[in-house]
Amino acid sequence: MVIDIFPDNIGTVFGVLETFVGLGMMVGPALGGALYQVGGFILPFVVVGAFIICICLPLNAYILPAYEEKVNMAPPLDMLRLLRTPSIFLVSLSIVMSAAIWALLDPILEPYLRDYGLGPQYLGLIFMVIATSYAFFSPIWGAVADKMENTKLLIIAGLVLMALAMLVLGGSPLLPFLPDDLWLIIVCLAVLGMANSLALIPTFENLLNESENSGLSDEISTYALLAGLWATLYSLGEFIGPSVGGALYEYVGFACETTIVAAALLLMAIVMSIYCVCEWWCKRKSRPRDLESTEKTPLLQNSNRRTDIAVRNVSNCIENGPVPDSISRSKSPFLSDNGYSVSKASGELRGSIVVST
């Protein structure tokens, strides 16, 4: 519904919505911890459930505008057709990877930070860094995406920045000269949140543009299909992240795991860059040539040449004698239906040619 109301500012609207996602991730752990201290395990769930029932449902029912247009549900085959499109498949992979990076840190960052002797309250603040950065930069990247023609460039930049942040965050063996300082980890988390929003915010607008290029209609059913696809991909990433992240942490450790993840992000960025270059080259090769030089000019030149020939033939006939019957009845495309007429007046031959336009 939001996309249908603001069709020209999809990136900005999506960025603002993701800002509230970041705010929820900032407030959620702190609020949940406080409620847990007050009333135990059950109290956070009771408070959140009551908030949804008493506040969120009335807001959706009475404040949000009603949508009266008849919605034609998109068939399931449309989603399969979308995923078979190379550009949509690559963007879908970037959504999964971006969500997986966020969720991957949940089970492994806290054990890694124990070596710094931090208490629970400080650990909570460090986890808020990535959410704060994500919430702050999301509307900025959304506004930038609205002004760009090819938003895949933003996704590529986000993937590269996330890869660099992961390398530094884990103290990769490829970078043995890095200092093992807490401030560097905090900076890396801030960059990771910024890069995650950079890679994630343009994806929905990109999916929408590519789906329209694939033949789907620009209507509310397409928006619903893409929203469901985006949410499915994001949830898949949130499932893969902790599962793979926990297993890798047990077998190879934090530093090697972040290096492997960074390599996967760089590989994804390289593949998408190659696709963008190929896409640009194909569009450049298939771009129609200048009509004036390829179609209009030859046509006008041919028209003038044929007209000159017709005029010379008529002039020769007038000078050499009576006009042959075959010429007088010719239906040249450059002469009118009357052809031409020759009249004799005041002892002079006057030839008149009516050229059709």
Side-chain angles (χ1 to χ4, degrees):
M1 179 183 294
V2 175
I3 303 301
D4 192 54
I5 297 174
F6 304 99
D8 298 327
N9 304 100
I10 297 175
T12 303
V13 171
F14 195 76
V16 171
L17 293 178
E18 288 300 301
T19 296
F20 286 94
V21 173
L23 292 175
M25 292 182 175
M26 293 166 53
V27 176
L31 181 61
L35 293 175
Y36 177 81
Q37 293 292 331
V38 173
F41 181 78
I42 192 66
L43 185 59
F45 297 96
V46 173
V47 172
V48 173
F51 180 81
I52 293 175
I53 294 174
C54 299
I55 303 298
C56 296
L57 288 181
L59 284 176
N60 282 274
Y62 298 105
I63 297 180
L64 294 180
Y67 195 84
E68 300 179 355
E69 181 180 337
K70 183 179 179 180
V71 178
N72 298 319
M73 297 303 296
L77 292 178
D78 284 346
M79 184 173 292
L80 297 178
R81 186 176 67 180
L82 287 177
L83 292 176
R84 287 196 298 266
T85 305
S87 59
I88 293 180
F89 181 75
L90 290 177
V91 174
S92 300
L93 283 181
S94 68
I95 296 173
V96 174
M97 295 188 71
S98 300
I101 296 303
W102 189 299
L104 175 141
L105 295 176
D106 289 340
I108 65 175
L109 186 58
E110 188 272 335
Y112 178 71
L113 293 176
R114 288 176 188 170
D115 297 336
Y116 293 90
L118 299 176
Q121 66 276 17
Y122 294 107
L123 288 174
L125 291 175
I126 290 178
F127 270 94
M128 286 180 61
V129 170
I130 185 172
T132 304
S133 178
Y134 182 89
F136 178 80
F137 282 99
S138 289
I140 297 176
W141 300 136
V144 172
D146 283 335
K147 299 180 182 300
M148 292 188 63
E149 182 178 355
N150 189 358
T151 55
K152 292 186 183 70
L153 300 178
L154 296 178
I155 300 175
I156 294 171
L159 293 173
V160 173
L161 287 176
M162 279 195 292
L164 296 177
M166 291 298 290
L167 285 174
V168 179
L169 176 65
S172 172
L174 302 176
L175 305 172
F177 53 87
L178 291 175
D180 189 15
D181 295 332
L182 182 60
W183 67 266
L184 188 59
I185 294 176
I186 296 175
V187 171
C188 288
L189 290 176
V191 173
L192 193 61
M194 180 268 293
N196 196 282
S197 64
L198 178 59
L200 203 57
I201 295 303
T203 54
F204 189 86
E205 184 175 2
N206 201 280
L207 288 176
L208 180 61
N209 294 335
E210 295 297 337
S211 66
E212 292 177 358
N213 294 336
S214 300
L216 293 184
S217 57
D218 185 10
E219 57 185 10
I220 191 65
S221 61
T222 301
Y223 304 154
L225 175 66
L226 295 177
L229 176 62
W230 194 94
T232 301
L233 296 170
Y234 191 89
S235 300
L236 179 61
E238 288 190 322
F239 169 76
I240 294 175
S243 303
V244 176
L248 287 176
Y249 183 80
E250 291 292 332
Y251 285 101
V252 300
F254 189 80
C256 292
E257 177 180 358
T258 54
T259 304
I260 294 172
V261 172
L265 290 169
L266 285 176
L267 178 62
M268 182 68 202
I270 292 172
V271 172
M272 186 169 287
S273 300
I274 294 174
Y275 178 83
C276 287
V277 172
C278 295
E279 185 180 44
W280 171 81
W281 181 256
C282 292
K283 288 182 179 179
R284 184 173 179 270
K285 296 292 287 185
S286 60
R287 185 181 303 166
R289 296 179 180 179
D290 186 32
L291 293 176
E292 187 175 359
S293 61
T294 58
E295 294 181 5
K296 293 184 178 179
T297 301
L299 182 59
L300 292 175
Q301 289 175 349
N302 292 337
S303 302
N304 294 334
R305 185 166 55 252
R306 292 176 184 177
T307 304
D308 292 340
I309 294 174
V311 171
R312 276 201 307 271
N313 290 337
V314 173
S315 300
N316 292 334
C317 292
I318 294 174
E319 294 175 357
N320 297 332
V323 179
D325 187 70
S326 60
I327 297 180
S328 64
R329 290 185 174 88
S330 64
K331 299 294 183 179
S332 171
F334 299 95
L335 299 178
S336 67
D337 292 338
N338 295 329
Y340 65 87
S341 59
V342 181
S343 61
K344 191 173 184 179
S346 303
E348 297 180 356
L349 290 175
R350 182 184 307 167
S352 62
I353 303 173
V354 182
V355 180
S356 66
T357 59

